[in-house]
C-alpha cells in the first residue's frame, strides 16, 4: 500500500485531520485536500485534481516540483553520509555550500551559520547581535526594531520581533526587547500619501525616532524584509533602505535583512538586498535555498560582526541538531546549479514586468483595491469599495479569507494565499519556472473567484 492509499484508507476523523495536527489551522475545520504529487508548477490532490501551485508551496519551490535530479542528489548523499552534526565538525557539502553562499552574498557577508529554517535563522541573528555587542563592550545593546504587521517567525525570540499582536497573545510574555515602527504600505499611507519618495523617507525616519526613544545604547538591531510579506507584498520606496542604512550606521545598530522569502530568485537575484541596493550586516534566509527538497536555512554575517568571535576561547553557544544537514546542503548546492544552468534569476527579471501587468488587469474588479509586488511575489488587496478604499470588516474577513476563498480558489484550480494579518489580501508567488501561460491562468482564476467573492459582500 502506498502512502497515498494509506491516507485514503485511514480517512479523516470527525474534525477531518485524523492524528495530524496541521500548522496554523483550526482543528475543527473540515478535511482539506491531501496533496499527493507535484510536477513543474502544478500539484495534484488525492482526488486527482491538477492545481497550479501559485505560492510555490510556501514561497519555497523555486525550481518547481518533481525535479528527479535533485532527488537523485539527495539519495546519493544519504547513501554516502546521511547525517553528521556541524558541532565542531564539518562535511564536504556544508563547506561547499557555505563557500557558495558567501560568494553570492553582497559585500563581506562571508560567514554562514546553518539552521533548518527561517524562524531559526532570525532567532540566531538576534542572539548573535546580543552577544556581538557584549563582546565589543556595549552589553546594554539588546533591543530589536522591526515593522508593524511584519512576520519573522514563531520561536519566542523571532515572535517578539514579529509585528502581529494577534499571533503573540497566546504566548505572552515573550522575549523582551522587540519594538515596532510603521511599514511601507503606501496604499494605506496617511503621511505623504501623494509622494512615494517622501513617504519612504518618513517611514525610515521612524526607525531613527524609535532608536532615539529607546536609547541608542540599548538597540542592537533593525530587522526588515526587503519586501514585507505579511500585509501583502509591501515594497520599499525609492531611497528607503539607503536612509535605513544611514541610520543604522549613525547609531551603531546592526541591519538584518530577513530574506527567508525574498532570497534565492524570488526577486530575480540570489539575495534581494542586492536588487534593492543596500548592504546588511546580517542576512537570514531559508525556503528557496533548496527549493523545498530538504529543510535548510542560514544566517550569513559580515566580517566585522564575526570578528569578535574569532578571538581565543570565544564561542557562540548556539546551534541546532539538524542545522547544516549534509543531505540538505547537497540538494541546496544542486538547486543552485539549476539556478545557473536554467537562468532562473534572469528569468524572473525578464518576466516580472509582464507578471505585474497581468496581475494589474484585476484592478477593474470592484473588490480589488490595490495590486502590488515585485519579481514573482505579488498581492491583491481586497476592499469593500475601490473608490473609498474601505477595508473588509471582521465578519467579511471571516467569510471570505477563511471561509470562501481558500476552497473556492483551490476548486477553481489555483493554490495561493488569502491572508488578513494586515488588510485582506490574496498573495501569489509561483515557482520561478513559470511564465506567461501560468500568469494568465493565475489572473483568470483570480478573476473568476474574486467576482464570486464580491457577490458575498
Amino acid at each position: 500500500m502506498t502512502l497515498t492509499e494509506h491516507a485514503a484508507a485511514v480517512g479523516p476523523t470527525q474534525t477531518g485531520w485524523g492524528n495530524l495536527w496541521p500548522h496554523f489551522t483550526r482543528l475543527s475545520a473540515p478535511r482539506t485536500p491531501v496533496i499527493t504529487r507535484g510536477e513543474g508548477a502544478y500539484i495534484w490532490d488525492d482526488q486527482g485534481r491538477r492545481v497550479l501551485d501559485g505560492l510555490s508551496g510556501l514561497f519555497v519551490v523555486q525550481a518547481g516540483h518533481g525535479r528527479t535530479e535533485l532527488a537523485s542528489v539527495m539519495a546519493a548523499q544519504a547513501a554516502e553520509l546521511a547525517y553528521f552534526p556541524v558541532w565542531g565538525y564539518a562535511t564536504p557539502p556544508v563547506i561547499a555550500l557555505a563557500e557558495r553562499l558567501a560568494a553570492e552574498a553582497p559585500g563581506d557577508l562571508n560567514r554562514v551559520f546553518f539552521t533548518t529554517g527561517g524562524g531559526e535563522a532570525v532567532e540566531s541573528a538576534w542572539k548573535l547581535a546580543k552577544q556581538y555587542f557584549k563582546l565589543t563592550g556595549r552589553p546594554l545593546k539588546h533591543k530589536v526594531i522591526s515593522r508593524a504587521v511584519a512576520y519573522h517567525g514563531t520561536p519566542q525570540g523571532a515572535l517578539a520581533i514579529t509585528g502581529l499582536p494577534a499571533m503573540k497573545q497566546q504566548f505572552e510574555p515573550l522575549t523582551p526587547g522587540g519594538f515596532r515602527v510603521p511599514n511601507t504600505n503606501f496604499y494605506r499611507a496617511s503621511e505623504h500619501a501623494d509622494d512615494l519618495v517622501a513617504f519612504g523617507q518618513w517611514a525610515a525616519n521612524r526607525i531613527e525616532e524609535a532608536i532615539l526613544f529607546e536609547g541608542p545604547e540599548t538597540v542592537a538591531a533593525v530587522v526588515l524584509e526587503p519586501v514585507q510579506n505579511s500585509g501583502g507584498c509591501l515594497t520599499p520606496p525609492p531611497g528607503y533602505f539607503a536612509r535605513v542604512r544611514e541610520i543604522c550606521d549613525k547609531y551603531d545598530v546592526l541591519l538584518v535583512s530577513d530574506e527567508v522569502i525574498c532570497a534565492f530568485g524570488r526577486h530575480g537575484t540570489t539575495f534581494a538586498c542586492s536588487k534593492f541596493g543596500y548592504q546588511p550586516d546580517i542576512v537570514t534566509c531559508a525556503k528557496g535555498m533548496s527549493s523545498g527538497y530538504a529543510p535548510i536555512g542560514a544566517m550569513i554575517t559580515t566580517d566585522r560582526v564575526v570578528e569578535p568571535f574569532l578571538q581565543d576561547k570565544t564561542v557562540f553557544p548556539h546551534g541546532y541538531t539538524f542545522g547544516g544537514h549534509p543531505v540538505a546542503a547537497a540538494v541546496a548546492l544542486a538547486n543552485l546549479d539549476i539556478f545557473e544552468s536554467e537562468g532562473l534569476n534572469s528569468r524572473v527579471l525578464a518576466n516580472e514586468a509582464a507578471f505585474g501587468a497581468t496581475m494589474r488587469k484585476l484592478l477593474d474588479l470592484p473588490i480589488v483595491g490595490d495590486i502590488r509586488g515585485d519579481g514573482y511575489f505579488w498581492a491583491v488587496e481586497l476592499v469593500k469599495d475601490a473608490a473609498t478604499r474601505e477595508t473588509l470588516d471582521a465578519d467579511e474577513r471571516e467569510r471570505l479569507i477563511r471561509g470562501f476563498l481558500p476552497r473556492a480558489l483551490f476548486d477553481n484550480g489555483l493554490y495561493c494565499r488569502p491572508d488578513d494579518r494586515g488588510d485582506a489580501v490574496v498573495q501569489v508567488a509561483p515557482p520561478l519556472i513559470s511564465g506567461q501561460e501560468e500568469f494568465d491562468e493565475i489572473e483568470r482564476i483570480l478573476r473568476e473567484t474574486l467576482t464570486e467573492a464580491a457577490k458575498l459582500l
Side-chain angles (χ1 to χ4, degrees):
M1 179 180 289
T2 66
L3 289 175
T4 302
E5 291 168 339
H6 176 73
V10 171
T13 64
Q14 287 185 341
T15 60
W17 300 106
N19 299 111
L20 176 65
W21 194 330
H23 299 192
F24 288 98
T25 303
R26 296 174 178 176
L27 291 180
S28 61
R31 182 178 185 267
T32 60
V34 176
I35 309 305
T36 59
R37 72 182 183 94
E39 182 178 340
Y42 292 86
I43 53 174
W44 282 258
D45 72 1
D46 58 350
Q47 305 302 308
R49 292 182 294 183
R50 178 179 180 262
V51 176
L52 176 58
D53 182 358
L55 203 66
S56 303
L58 194 61
F59 314 105
V60 172
V61 190
Q62 319 292 61
H65 297 278
R67 305 294 300 237
T68 56
E69 64 269 51
L70 296 182
S72 297
V73 167
M74 296 171 69
Q77 179 59 48
E80 183 172 343
L81 178 66
Y83 173 76
F84 207 78
V86 292
W87 295 45
Y89 297 85
T91 63
V94 171
I95 293 171
L97 181 58
E99 290 177 352
R100 188 157 185 176
L101 294 176
E104 297 194 24
D108 64 342
L109 285 158
N110 289 325
R111 189 68 64 149
V112 183
F113 183 99
F114 286 109
T115 67
T116 62
E120 291 178 356
V122 173
E123 192 88 356
S124 302
W126 194 0
K127 292 178 74 173
L128 176 68
K130 288 181 177 181
Q131 189 177 358
Y132 168 77
F133 283 114
K134 285 180 172 60
L135 291 173
T136 55
R138 289 155 293 174
L140 296 181
K141 290 176 81 72
H142 68 283
K143 297 174 184 176
V144 175
I145 294 169
S146 59
R147 295 185 290 204
V149 192
Y151 173 79
H152 293 286
T154 56
Q156 286 283 306
L159 191 57
I161 298 173
T162 289
L164 295 160
M167 291 191 65
K168 306 180 183 190
Q169 291 170 355
Q170 304 303 319
F171 311 110
E172 293 173 332
L174 300 175
T175 305
F179 298 89
R180 238 60 59 206
V181 294
N183 59 44
T184 59
N185 187 347
F186 187 58
Y187 180 67
R188 295 291 178 184
S190 58
E191 300 282 345
H192 305 289
D194 59 347
D195 187 332
L196 179 60
V197 173
F199 169 72
Q201 293 299 297
W202 172 85
N205 286 336
R206 302 289 70 76
I207 295 173
E208 181 176 36
E209 184 178 82
I211 292 171
L212 290 171
F213 183 81
E214 292 301 323
E217 73 281 2
T218 71
V219 179
V222 171
V223 179
L224 307 173
E225 298 164 277
V227 175
Q228 184 173 314
N229 166 36
S230 184
C233 299
L234 306 180
T235 56
Y240 173 81
F241 273 112
R243 176 63 181 138
V244 172
R245 180 71 266 179
E246 182 180 75
I247 292 167
C248 289
D249 289 341
K250 181 176 180 180
Y251 299 105
D252 197 14
V253 172
L254 300 181
L255 175 55
V256 180
S257 187
D258 182 358
E259 305 204 13
V260 172
I261 287 176
C262 295
F264 305 109
R266 185 55 52 191
H267 297 282
T269 51
T270 302
F271 295 100
C273 57
S274 299
K275 182 176 187 179
F276 294 108
Y278 66 97
Q279 176 64 50
D281 300 293
I282 300 172
V283 165
T284 58
C285 56
K287 293 188 183 288
M289 190 190 305
S290 70
S291 282
Y293 283 75
I296 190 168
M299 170 186 69
I300 310 173
T301 189
T302 60
D303 293 340
R304 176 175 75 96
V305 174
V306 80
E307 195 278 332
F309 295 87
L310 300 177
Q311 305 306 312
D312 185 39
K313 297 182 181 179
T314 301
V315 66
F316 182 38
H318 176 64
Y320 300 99
T321 299
F322 296 108
H325 194 288
V327 174
V331 75
L333 283 165
N335 177 57
L336 295 177
D337 286 342
I338 289 175
F339 268 74
E340 289 189 4
S341 63
E342 299 184 9
L344 294 187
N345 284 336
S346 298
R347 179 182 182 86
V348 171
L349 294 175
N351 289 335
E352 63 178 344
F355 191 15
T358 303
M359 291 293 295
R360 290 190 183 97
K361 292 179 181 179
L362 296 168
L363 285 169
D364 65 347
L365 298 178
I367 196 175
V368 174
D370 192 29
I371 306 287
R372 54 182 178 260
D374 181 86
Y376 274 31
F377 189 31
W378 290 83
V380 180
E381 181 164 335
L382 306 182
V383 294
K384 285 185 184 181
D385 187 317
T388 65
R389 303 188 181 185
E390 183 181 1
T391 192
L392 307 185
D393 63 30
D395 177 67
E396 290 162 339
R397 292 178 186 215
E398 177 67 27
R399 286 189 287 124
L400 289 188
I401 300 299
R402 280 169 288 281
F404 174 73
L405 284 173
R407 179 53 64 89
L409 286 163
F410 193 91
D411 287 345
N412 288 336
L414 176 64
Y415 163 70
C416 59
R417 187 181 204 177
D419 186 20
D420 68 340
R421 291 174 294 177
D423 292 297
V425 300
V426 177
Q427 286 181 297
V428 291
L432 310 187
I433 58 171
S434 304
Q436 190 60 51
E437 183 176 348
E438 288 77 22
F439 304 159
D440 289 339
E441 186 173 358
I442 289 171
E443 191 274 338
R444 176 183 59 78
I445 296 173
L446 284 174
R447 176 174 295 277
E448 175 184 348
T449 310
L450 293 179
T451 298
E452 291 300 312
K455 297 176 183 178
L456 297 178
L457 295 179

